[in-house]
Amino acid sequence: MKAPKINSLRLLQISSGILILGLILEVVTLLWFHPLSFVLFAFVAAALIGLGILIYLAALALVAAPPDRQS
Amino acid sequence: MIGALICQIVLSIALATIFLFRPSLTSGTGWKIVAFIGLCVLPALCLIGGMNLHVQRSETTRFCTSCHVMVPYGRSLAIDDAAHLPAQHFQNHRVPADKACYSCHADYGIYGPLNDKMRGLTRLYLQYVSTAPDPAAIRIPGGFKNAQCLHCHQGARSFEENPIHTAMMDSLKSEQVSCLGSGCHDAAHDIANLSHQKFWNPGK
């Protein structure tokens, strides 16, 4: 029972870190008026934010998963 | 709008920072809800808002002319010649001045915005990775379509009642005769002769 809890907290931290990175990049692209800022947003910032959200949802799924019979 | 989006991003970063350093807070029900908002709802809204803003920004004249190869095209909008089609449209606000390029060059088809973005990315690739084209040598693949002109002009009284247009309307609609290449409106973005042109200065 304990191991998934620790893992979900770790996943939460990873998700937060990736989201922060993606969101900071998004702010940079919003303040930088250049064609490359669109590319940076679409391919890097959006990917990081999407990945962060997915990892958070994975952490949620891990917590909600039924306990293993063997543990 | 950009201010509100940045505030939303800052709030999202603040919440994510809390869970980066104190993930154990999520053991409480209230914090679980905060985590869901801070790590899922707000970032998703920031993503949608950012994409919306970037797409809107990519339609502006300033955005298009911020690319080096497009600078002379932007300059050609200020040519002081009533026969020069893009300049005439831009200077007389026949197209929104802040979206001058997009108004005439956007693909108004169902997958138009997606096609436009893909074309834009190809040009970025050429600019930064491959060899940047000579501005005067840039051509629209397949030529400039009459549909772009007809998108606004079709149905307009001055266009429909013009006897020349009326006589060749079917040919214009079927793209058999080009609005630009038929000898009628053939002065468009004359980049090669830009140095010989007189320019309109709105301040004077």
Side-chain angles (χ1 to χ4, degrees), chain B residues 17-84:
Chain B
T17 310
I18 292 172
F19 296 111
L20 178 66
F21 294 107
R22 300 283 302 279
S24 56
L25 280 174
T26 50
S27 53
T29 312
W31 281 104
K32 273 193 175 77
I33 296 168
V34 175
F36 182 71
I37 293 170
L39 300 179
C40 187
V41 178
L42 272 180
L45 289 175
C46 292
L47 195 63
I48 295 165
M51 185 55 86
N52 185 35
L53 207 113
H54 272 285
V55 168
Q56 276 183 19
R57 185 189 275 184
S58 69
E59 294 171 1
T60 62
T61 310
R62 191 181 148 208
F63 180 88
C64 300
T65 54
S66 64
C67 243
H68 296 295
V69 290
M70 284 295 136
V71 171
Y73 287 87
R75 237 173 102 65
S76 75
L77 295 175
I79 289 175
D80 193 8
D81 178 3
H84 194 271

Side-chain angles (χ1 to χ4, degrees), chain A residues 9 12-13 16-17 19-20 23-24 26-27 29-39 41 46 49 53 56, chain B residues 2 5 9 12-13 16-17 19-20 23 26 35-36 39 46-47 50-51 53-54 57 62-63 66 117 124 128:
Chain A
L9 292 183
L12 212 65
Q13 279 185 312
S16 304
L19 277 174
I20 291 169
L23 291 165
I24 290 173
E26 182 175 344
V27 173
T29 65
L30 290 175
L31 298 176
W32 183 34
F33 200 101
H34 193 273
L36 279 183
S37 74
F38 180 85
V39 177
F41 172 78
I49 294 169
I53 293 172
Y56 168 71
Chain B
I2 190 168
L5 183 60
I9 293 171
S12 194
I13 290 174
T17 310
F19 296 111
L20 178 66
T26 50
F36 182 71
L39 300 179
C46 292
L47 195 63
M51 185 55 86
L53 207 113
H54 272 285
R57 185 189 275 184
R62 191 181 148 208
F63 180 88
S66 64
K117 291 289 165 288
L124 273 176
Y128 292 103

Side-chain angles (χ1 to χ4, degrees), chain A residues 41-52:
Chain A
F41 172 78
F43 291 101
V44 186
L48 284 173
I49 294 169
L51 185 67

Side-chain angles (χ1 to χ4, degrees), chain B:
Chain B
M1 189 182 166
I2 190 168
L5 183 60
I6 287 178
C7 287
Q8 192 179 310
I9 293 171
V10 169
L11 179 65
S12 194
I13 290 174
L15 288 174
T17 310
I18 292 172
F19 296 111
L20 178 66
F21 294 107
R22 300 283 302 279
S24 56
L25 280 174
T26 50
S27 53
T29 312
W31 281 104
K32 273 193 175 77
I33 296 168
V34 175
F36 182 71
I37 293 170
L39 300 179
C40 187
V41 178
L42 272 180
L45 289 175
C46 292
L47 195 63
I48 295 165
M51 185 55 86
N52 185 35
L53 207 113
H54 272 285
V55 168
Q56 276 183 19
R57 185 189 275 184
S58 69
E59 294 171 1
T60 62
T61 310
R62 191 181 148 208
F63 180 88
C64 300
T65 54
S66 64
C67 243
H68 296 295
V69 290
M70 284 295 136
V71 171
Y73 287 87
R75 237 173 102 65
S76 75
L77 295 175
I79 289 175
D80 193 8
D81 178 3
H84 194 271
L85 204 64
Q88 182 215 68
H89 276 73
F90 174 75
Q91 291 165 26
N92 295 305
H93 286 205
R94 290 191 176 121
V95 291
D98 60 337
K99 287 188 177 182
C101 311
Y102 182 80
S103 300
C104 293
H105 291 281
D107 183 341
Y108 290 104
I110 188 163
Y111 297 113
L114 187 67
N115 290 338
D116 287 338
K117 291 289 165 288
M118 293 310 292
R119 239 173 28 205
L121 288 175
T122 312
R123 281 173 193 164
L124 273 176
Y125 174 81
L126 289 173
Q127 176 71 37
Y128 292 103
V129 183
S130 184
T131 314
D134 174 25
I138 294 175
R139 293 286 174 272
I140 296 169
F144 192 85
K145 298 271 184 283
N146 292 349
Q148 310 289 109
C149 307
L150 294 172
H151 180 74
C152 292
H153 289 283
Q154 193 173 7
R157 186 180 172 185
S158 58
F159 175 77
E160 299 277 345
E161 288 183 357
N162 183 315
I164 301 169
H165 293 157
T166 313
M168 54 168 61
M169 193 62 82
D170 289 339
S171 307
L172 288 173
K173 285 181 183 170
S174 60
E175 306 276 349
Q176 284 174 312
V177 176
S178 169
C179 300
L180 299 183
S182 57
C184 295
H185 308 286
D186 48 2
H189 296 302
D190 190 10
I191 302 306
N193 298 312
L194 212 57
S195 55
H196 310 300
Q197 299 283 357
K198 197 178 147 201
F199 289 94
W200 170 62
N201 190 341
K204 288 182 181 174

